[in-house]
């Protein structure tokens, strides 16, 4: 078997491990990737104070519009999001309940831990990678 190395292998290793760890967190919580992309898109919209309609969510997440509508309606039925009809568009807004739900907070903390550990490892220069000289 031909094992080869690339100059950026230490960085790729940290990122690949973090992504693998994150995939287990998502898998253990029975998330599908459409759910994850839509939820993260809505989180970014809330943080950026941006209104998104079904079409824009679909465009940004590459999730088919009918799937976005179906998932949002399911979340709306349990109070995780709310929708507002305005100017011929249906905008989706996360609710405080959705953003602070115990399961969501726990998952965010688990994912944050993985990312912070990866960032810490990435910021430490691996011994086999020489420091860059400043000009």
């Amino acid at each position: 078997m031909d094992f080869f190395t690339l100059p950026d292998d230490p960085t790729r290793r940290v990122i690949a491990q973090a992504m693998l760890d994150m995939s287990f967190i998502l898998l253990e919580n029975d998330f599908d990737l459409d759910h994850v992309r839509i939820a993260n898109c809505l989180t970014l919209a809330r943080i950026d104070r941006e209104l998104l309609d079904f079409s824009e969510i679909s465009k940004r997440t590459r999730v088919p519009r009918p799937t976005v509508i179906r998932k949002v309606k399911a979340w709306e039925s349990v109070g995780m999001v709310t929708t507002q009809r305005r100017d011929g568009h249906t905008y989706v807004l996360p609710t405080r309940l959705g953003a602070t739900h115990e399961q969501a907070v726990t998952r965010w903390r688990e994912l944050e831990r993985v990312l912070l550990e990866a960032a810490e490892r990435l910021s430490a220069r691996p011994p086999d990678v020489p420091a860059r000289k400043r000009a």
Side-chain angles (χ1 to χ4, degrees), residues 52 54 69 72-73 76 81-86 89-95:
L52 300 180
F54 292 128
I69 293 169
V72 165
K73 288 194 181 291
E76 186 174 33
V81 299
T82 186
T83 58
Q84 293 180 1
R85 186 103 174 118
R86 219 189 289 172
H89 297 274
T90 302
Y91 295 98
V92 182
L93 300 129
T95 62

Side-chain angles (χ1 to χ4, degrees), residues 1-2 7 35 47 66-67 79-80 93 99 111 113 128:
M1 193 176 262
D2 179 25
H35 178 109
I47 291 167
T67 302
M80 304 296 270
L93 300 129
L111 294 168
R113 178 188 51 76
D128 59 340

Side-chain angles (χ1 to χ4, degrees), residues 41-89:
C41 183
L42 290 172
T43 298
L44 289 170
R46 180 188 57 80
I47 291 167
D48 294 340
R49 299 183 183 281
E50 188 176 20
L51 288 176
L52 300 180
D53 64 9
F54 292 128
S55 295
E56 186 62 25
I57 294 168
S58 176
K59 179 179 155 188
R60 291 183 184 192
T61 61
R62 299 184 198 157
V63 174
R65 190 172 179 274
T67 302
V68 171
I69 293 169
R70 188 176 67 251
K71 289 188 181 290
V72 165
K73 288 194 181 291
W75 296 340
E76 186 174 33
S77 71
V78 293
M80 304 296 270
V81 299
T82 186
T83 58
Q84 293 180 1
R85 186 103 174 118
R86 219 189 289 172
D87 302 324
H89 297 274

Side-chain angles (χ1 to χ4, degrees), residues 79-127:
M80 304 296 270
V81 299
T82 186
T83 58
Q84 293 180 1
R85 186 103 174 118
R86 219 189 289 172
D87 302 324
H89 297 274
T90 302
Y91 295 98
V92 182
L93 300 129
T95 62
R96 186 169 298 279
L97 170 66
T100 60
H101 191 276
E102 183 180 338
Q103 287 181 337
V105 170
T106 300
R107 281 190 288 277
W108 275 106
R109 285 189 183 131
E110 290 173 12
L111 294 168
E112 178 186 34
R113 178 188 51 76
V114 170
L115 288 172
L116 289 173
E117 288 172 3
E120 188 175 304
R121 288 192 303 271
L122 287 170
S123 66
R125 190 179 74 241

